[in-house]
Structures are given as C-alpha cells and as structure tokens.
Amino acid sequence: MKEITYREALREALREEMLRDENVFIAGEDVGIYGGAYAVTKGLYEEFGEERVKDTPISEAAIVGLGTGAALIGLRPVIEIMYIDFTTLAMDQIVNQAAKFHYMSGGNVKVPWVLRTQGGAGRSGAAQHSQSLESWFVHIPGLKVIAPSTPYDAKGLLKSAIRDDNPVIFVEHKMLYNKKGPVPEEEYTIPIGKGIIVKEGKDVTLVSYSKEIDEAMKAAYELQKEGIDVEVIDPRTLKPMDFELIFESVKKTSHLVIAEEDHYTLGVGAEISAKVSEEVIEYLDGPIIRVAALDVPIPAARKLEKRVIPDATRIMDGIRRSLE
Amino acid sequence: MNISNEELLKIYKTMVTIRIFEQTAEQNFLQGEIPGFIHLYIGEEAIGAGIISQLREDDFITSTHRGHGHMIAKGADLKKMMAELYGKETGYCKGKGGSMHIMNFDLGVLGANGVVAGGLPIAVGAGMAIKLKRGDQVVVSFFGDGATGRGAFHEALNWASVYGLPIIFVNENNQYASTAKYERVVPVKSIAERAKAYNMPGISVDGNDLFEVYKVAKEAITRARGGGGPTLIEAKTYRLKGHFVGDPEKYREKSEVEDWWQREPIKRVEKYMMENGILDKEKKKEIYERIKRDVNSAVKFARESSFPKKEDALSDLFVDDFKYDY
C-alpha cells in the first residue's frame, strides 16, 4: 500500500481508465491546461492531449448534454461540473434528459457518463460554493450517486463509475482533496452500492458519508472515552444505498444517528431514517437523530460556517440524545 | 433542379406519409384512443423530409416534442411509431416514452424531446463524439422558434462553433412558441440572424418550399461532413394545427390559418411534379391509397398490441437492471 491523497487517487482512477479504454474522455471547465479547479486532472491534458481532456465554455447545460450525446453514441465521458452548486444550471440535462433516457426509450439507449463534481463547506466559499446538494440526485430515478470519503474509496469507486453503463453522479468534497490514505499499488475497483463499517461498535449506529465521516470518527473516539461504543458506517454510495448493512447494524445497536453535511430537511439522512423506521423499527430503543447542516444558506464567515455545518461536538450531542 | 425525379418522388412519399400518419393520429386521439398529448407537424413536412432524406443511415438527429415527422423521415417503422403513441408494449419505447420521447439508437434518433431546446446540447455531444472518433457523420438538430429563447440554444451553438462540430441546426420557425406569436417574443426578424453571434453561416429559407430546403440543407450537410463546421438554417413555416391536439387556438385568427393552408408544402410540391410530368392524378391516388393502407395497418397493429405488463414499470431503469428496493 502507498499513501496518497484523495486528489491523487481520483487522478489515478481517471488516468488508469483512460489508458484502459480509449472511449473515456474528460470535459469540463478548466480541466485541461489549468488542471482542474481543485487540480484533480492536473497532468492529464499533457499526457492525453486536448481531445481527451477538453476545456469547455462555461456552459453547464452543454457540458452535461455533451456527456449525454457522446455517451449515447458509444463514448464514456467523464464530465466535470466545477461546483455542485452549478449543477443547478444543468438540471434539465441531468434530470429530464440523461437520467431518463434508458427508461424512456424502453431500454433502447444508454447513457454511460460520470458527472464528477464537488461540494461541501470549509473554505468560506459561502452560499453559492459550499452546498451539499447530493440528495437532489438521490431523489431522481435513473441516477446512481456516489460520495466517497477516503482516497481508497475515491479511486475504487470512480473506476467502477466510469465502467458503469448508467449515468453516475460522483460527488467529491473540496475539503477532502488533501486527505491522505492507503491505496493499493495494484488494480482494484469497489462495487457501487456497497457500504462499509468504518469502526465497529455495539451501542449506537452512526451513519455518515463524505467529509462528515471524519467528524463522525472524532465523535466516536471521544465517546469511547465515556464508555459509549459507536459503530460508524459509511454507505459510500448514496444510491443505491446499502440499507442492509445499516439494518444489520441497527439490529445490533438499537440506536441510529445520521451525521451529514447536507441540509436537515429532506436530506440523505431523512431517507435513511424513514427506511429504518419502515423496515426495522422494532429493534430501535430510542429516537433516530439526524445531525445535519442547519436549514440556512451556508454563510461565509468561518465562525458562522462552523455553526451551520455539524462538527464532532454536535454529533456527540446527537448520539447522547439517541441514547437517553 | 438538383433533385432527381426518383429522389423527389421518394421525398414526396415521405411527406405524404407524415401527413397521413398524423391526420390519423389526430383523429384517433380525438376519439380517445391515444393517451397523453400529441403535437402535430402538419404543414412542416418539407423540412424534416427534405433534410433527413439527404442523411446517411449512420447520421444522427435530435428532435422535439413535435417529432413524428422527423422519426418517419429517418426511417421509423409506422407500426412501432403508432404503437408507441398508443402506449403499447410493441412501440419503439415499449410504451414508456410516448409521443414526445420516442428515441431509437438504430435509427440514429437521439431522442424526440419533451423539453424545448433539450435536444440541442445532446446534438453537441454527438458532434463532439463524432469528431473524437474521427467519423464523418453529421448531426441534425431540429428545434422550434421558441427554443431560441432558452439558454441551451445559446450554449449549444456557441460550443458547436468553438469546436467546429459537424452539426446542422435546423430551426423550424412555425411562428408560434406554444401560443405566443413569433413577433411578440422574439426580437429579431429572422432566427438566422442569430448565427452572427456564433460566427457560423445563418440561412433563412421558405420552409414550405421543399426545393429551397433541400438546397440549403445539401450545402450545410456537405460543409459539416467536410469538416467545415456547423450551420444554422431557419426554415420559415407555419404550424397549421394547434400547439397540441385539442388546442382551442384562441390566440390566432382562422383566416390566418386558412391563408397558410394555401401555401402548405405538399400541395406545392404536387403542383410542381404534375407540371413536370413526375406525377399524375392516377399515380397520386395510388400513392395516397398505398400510404393510407400502411397507416391503417399501423393503427390495426397498435390497437391489437398489448399494453405493457404492470411489472414492466420497474424495468429498464438501469442498464444492469439493478433490482432496486422500491
């Protein structure tokens, strides 16, 4: 195993898949000469040339349409929308077009693209550059949604996403790009739709994903000192979600807390909570608690941003509430 | 004239097929046999038929909510078309698409589209892919006058021009964006003028004149295939029917519609063909009867086909047919 960053892991995945399959190409704003707003595609333009690492106009609808049109006729585009906030500009192309084509055509056409984007707070990007909008896409039938939290998952899942025949929304987190972690030297992929137990525990199940996992782990280790044994689960894929893994854990711990960076109302946690209520409520010995971003736009000032985005302390409070 | 008699006859038959197919669909819709809504292309047939007849099988088109004509011109099977309108499992999309969303890769149809301007960015993607694969196919993207008010129009034309993509943008200016008359919602006299903003050729033609449409399309297709980049063609026409079947059409005068019926494209091409000995009354009758028979057998096929099974509502969501936990 080598230690590399989340950014490097993503780049390795892109590079390996481009070498493996000449139909894979990258397109997005600033992905070429500049190397990507967060430097994920750095060096790929030099290696693969401008045809396969395409700088595009600032035209999100056309970027996604480009992906769809090219995917329809046999290529495997990896398109990049620089900030998840800007997917708003391409919603028709994502939601009405790409997500529905396979179904609407009765299975006649397929749209094998990956839409890479990044979200999340932590850099004072404020209300239009810090959102976590992944639940919008989870809501839409026909899309798969992935949100990895480690370099290992980022690489393995991006490779699977590129090989998948469906449109996949791949949500990175801007504060994870420098996160280091072990990644095997040899080739590997991670199946879409499979979560993992990041830390085993017996008292309470804590589900979290993307950057929020790091806060969840801090909370788990802090509570360990108080004798509370937290099981931390990272579903890694938000759609299809590995509900079985969560159900099994809840059956064991009888308590569920969800920590997420998206907004509280109708966020990913709301779906997990509803699903657990429907399927395994008889195992619960306390309320399901969602610890999520407060329902206000993400503010710029660090102090305000910190108030809105859940940290380990808020997660610990949530866990205590669930155990009361 | 640069169309051979044989080719002209073929295009003429396509135009008549579109007309009869849609007249029949209209009638059957009004009788309650067809669900949802359908949008008719009646009066605009010269555009779809005149342009698509010059495409190769491996060329692509993107279409609109008013797309029956484009599909038929691209070689769609009338039975599968009609069955899809009827929502039957034998339709092009197994009853899941309906009139506005018929698409078929084998025909090179990258989608009719329920969203105005929705097909334009997809045409750009197909154009990019052709260029990347060093192919010599072209993409024809059809859209209405209303689409030019949407951002996707601008993004697509800008992009196609920047990269010199092999795309022919065909604006079917039928003078009504839904119910809004062209002059009320478009600030330029001709959609073709908009081409200047993208540094591409913009040509305006009488879309009801098959020969004019044919000629400018030939130039644009040749240019695109030869690496000369995109063209914007405005084909001025008129939507002889309402926005959708059942539209009360209170926003326009009957006399205006009647006036345009005098200029409709099929009559015009018939006149030319009669005058030049390519068509006579008997031959015309024979063609109409033959097409009516084909359309009637399409209707029969649609009527007799089964509706999809309830459980089919859950298939075709993902390519791997991932069994989702509903």
Side-chain angles (χ1 to χ4, degrees):
Chain A
M1 291 266 196
K2 59 192 176 193
E3 284 270 322
I4 59 171
T5 63
Y6 187 87
R7 172 189 292 112
E8 288 162 343
L10 291 164
R11 190 185 302 144
E12 281 190 2
L14 290 168
R15 185 172 176 273
E16 286 173 20
E17 292 307 299
M18 288 178 84
L19 288 170
R20 180 180 166 270
D21 181 353
E22 62 175 23
N23 288 320
V24 178
F25 74 100
I26 296 171
E29 294 158 14
D30 307 327
V31 299
I33 292 172
Y34 184 70
Y38 285 89
V40 172
T41 53
K42 211 172 189 64
L44 298 179
Y45 177 89
E46 289 75 8
E47 182 170 359
F48 294 100
E50 71 166 335
E51 279 202 337
R52 291 183 71 193
V53 186
K54 200 97 203 153
D55 282 318
T56 68
I58 300 178
S59 299
E60 282 76 8
I63 291 171
V64 179
L66 155 86
T68 304
L72 281 171
I73 71 174
L75 298 189
R76 290 192 172 270
V78 181
I79 47 181
E80 180 176 318
I81 300 293
M82 193 191 281
Y83 283 76
I84 200 168
D85 314 71
F86 308 158
T87 59
T88 51
L89 295 151
M91 273 308 201
D92 172 55
Q93 286 296 323
I94 300 170
V95 173
N96 293 327
Q97 312 293 342
K100 297 187 173 35
F101 271 24
H102 183 66
Y103 185 85
M104 226 156 52
S105 70
N108 181 267
V109 303
K110 58 180 184 175
V111 184
W113 58 232
V114 179
L115 188 158
R116 280 186 50 245
T117 188
Q118 58 79 28
R123 285 178 58 116
S124 285
Q128 297 170 343
H129 289 74
S130 305
Q131 297 175 86
S132 297
L133 301 175
E134 51 274 9
S135 75
W136 289 2
F137 305 107
V138 172
H139 189 67
I140 301 301
L143 297 174
K144 294 185 180 181
V145 184
I146 296 171
S149 67
T150 66
Y152 177 81
D153 291 348
K155 181 173 178 184
L157 281 163
L158 183 52
K159 285 169 74 86
S160 294
I162 292 170
R163 295 179 197 186
D164 197 279
D165 276 340
N166 304 286
V168 179
I169 307 281
F170 194 90
V171 187
E172 299 158 15
H173 194 295
K174 61 175 69 62
M175 300 308 285
L176 288 175
Y177 286 123
N178 291 325
K179 180 178 175 175
K180 281 196 164 179
V183 168
E185 298 286 350
E186 64 275 12
E187 159 100 34
Y188 73 100
T189 58
I190 295 172
I192 294 171
K194 286 274 168 256
I196 47 162
I197 298 170
V198 185
K199 174 189 171 299
E200 288 197 18
K202 60 180 190 335
D203 295 332
V204 56
T205 301
L206 174 58
V207 178
S208 189
Y209 64 91
S210 190
K211 156 102 181 8
E212 198 61 24
I213 270 283
D214 294 344
E215 295 301 314
M217 289 300 284
K218 270 189 228 165
Y221 284 117
E222 278 303 311
L223 288 173
Q224 200 81 42
K225 295 174 193 163
E226 299 176 20
I228 299 172
D229 192 11
V230 183
E231 177 146 297
V232 181
I233 289 181
D234 182 352
R236 305 189 291 189
T237 301
L238 303 181
K239 184 138 182 207
M241 172 84 70
D242 191 352
F243 284 117
E244 279 310 312
L245 186 72
I246 297 169
F247 294 161
E248 286 312 306
S249 177
V250 167
K251 284 179 187 172
K252 181 173 74 176
T253 66
S254 302
H255 294 276
L256 175 63
V257 175
I258 303 133
E260 59 195 309
E261 204 185 309
D262 64 342
H263 290 298
Y264 177 80
T265 301
L266 280 179
V268 171
E271 181 60 25
I272 297 172
S273 170
K275 197 78 179 161
V276 167
S277 303
E278 281 176 7
E279 304 286 336
V280 290
I281 196 163
E282 66 272 26
Y283 291 91
L284 286 171
D285 286 337
I288 300 171
I289 302 293
R290 284 173 289 151
V291 184
L294 305 182
D295 281 345
V296 292
I298 314 298
R302 274 304 283 148
K303 206 169 177 181
L304 299 178
E305 194 185 64
K306 277 187 139 138
R307 176 68 190 91
V308 172
I309 305 299
D311 59 8
T313 311
R314 265 178 66 196
I315 298 172
M316 288 192 288
D317 290 347
I319 291 173
R320 289 192 191 99
R321 270 174 67 205
S322 81
L323 292 170
E324 263 167 21
Chain B
M1 184 48 54
N2 51 4
I3 312 183
S4 70
N5 291 351
E6 195 188 344
E7 199 178 355
L8 182 56
L9 204 56
K10 194 175 144 241
I11 298 172
Y12 167 70
K13 282 180 188 166
T14 303
M15 290 169 70
V16 176
T17 305
I18 297 168
R19 177 70 57 91
I20 293 175
F21 179 91
E22 288 210 309
Q23 284 172 335
T24 308
E26 180 185 32
Q27 204 180 342
N28 297 359
F29 181 90
L30 291 169
Q31 283 169 10
E33 289 185 34
I34 294 174
F37 14 92
I38 58 172
H39 305 79
L40 302 179
Y41 194 57
I42 290 175
E44 308 178 31
E45 296 92 343
I47 309 165
I51 295 173
I52 296 171
S53 66
Q54 301 182 62
L55 295 182
R56 299 195 319 223
E57 256 181 49
D58 64 345
D59 288 330
F60 299 99
I61 66 165
T62 66
S63 175
T64 69
H65 58 287
R66 204 173 300 288
H68 306 151
H70 305 137
M71 306 291 152
I72 292 170
K74 195 76 173 72
D77 180 278
L78 297 184
K79 289 182 173 155
K80 288 184 183 176
M81 280 286 296
M82 195 62 90
E84 190 59 35
L85 264 57
Y86 273 71
K88 297 297 180 77
E89 68 173 4
T90 52
Y92 265 113
C93 310
K94 302 190 227 165
K96 284 176 173 153
S99 161
M100 281 190 285
H101 307 112
I102 299 180
M103 58 182 90
N104 187 276
F105 182 76
D106 312 305
L107 291 174
V109 177
L110 305 180
N113 212 302
V115 178
V116 168
L120 287 148
I122 293 165
V124 163
M128 286 284 282
I130 290 165
K131 214 169 171 192
L132 269 173
K133 288 184 147 181
R134 313 212 184 289
D136 69 342
Q137 301 110 298
V138 301
V139 187
V140 179
S141 185
F142 293 95
F143 55 96
D145 38 306
T148 69
R150 278 222 161 124
F153 166 82
H154 168 69
E155 291 192 18
L157 271 76
N158 183 61
W159 190 316
S161 183
V162 166
Y163 298 120
L165 301 182
I167 305 177
I168 299 94
F169 293 101
V170 179
N171 176 244
E172 299 175 319
N173 182 353
N174 66 19
Q175 305 186 41
Y176 283 92
S178 189
T179 67
K181 184 133 178 76
Y182 180 84
E183 293 81 12
R184 293 176 56 214
V185 290
V186 185
V188 284
K189 270 218 175 103
S190 157
I191 296 292
E193 287 175 39
R194 295 196 189 270
K196 275 184 214 145
Y198 310 105
N199 190 27
M200 70 169 79
I203 305 139
S204 188
V205 291
D206 177 355
N208 286 13
D209 183 332
L210 172 67
F211 302 107
E212 267 201 48
V213 170
Y214 185 93
K215 184 169 164 282
V216 297
K218 178 155 244 121
E219 286 163 11
I221 292 167
T222 307
R223 176 160 50 241
R225 220 185 279 293
T231 303
L232 172 62
I233 296 172
E234 177 196 42
K236 285 196 166 156
T237 181
Y238 189 81
R239 197 186 69 208
L240 290 171
K241 294 287 179 171
H243 171 46
F244 52 89
V245 177
D247 179 357
E249 297 181 60
K250 286 185 180 153
Y251 46 85
R252 62 181 180 184
E253 298 295 330
K254 276 211 168 74
S255 58
E256 180 187 296
V257 182
E258 280 157 16
D259 204 36
W260 276 94
W261 269 108
Q262 302 314 309
R263 289 183 256 172
E264 66 95 358
I266 293 182
K267 225 179 261 173
R268 279 168 72 171
V269 74
E270 276 172 357
K271 185 168 177 280
Y272 173 90
M273 290 166 79
M274 298 267 194
E275 282 170 4
N276 288 274
I278 307 164
L279 191 70
D280 56 37
K281 274 193 175 159
E282 201 178 319
K283 202 165 177 188
K284 181 184 156 186
K285 196 173 160 225
E286 201 181 292
I287 289 170
Y288 270 73
E289 277 172 5
R290 174 68 202 260
I291 292 170
K292 275 183 189 157
R293 271 203 305 277
D294 289 348
V295 171
N296 287 340
S297 69
V299 170
K300 185 168 183 283
F301 175 80
R303 282 179 180 153
E304 288 172 359
S305 291
S306 305
F307 284 108
K309 290 180 279 300
K310 261 192 271 178
E311 52 270 31
D312 293 339
L314 304 187
S315 64
D316 300 317
L317 181 58
F318 290 117
V319 174
D320 31 59
D321 228 12
F322 176 81
K323 286 288 171 264
Y324 196 67
D325 178 9
Y326 301 92

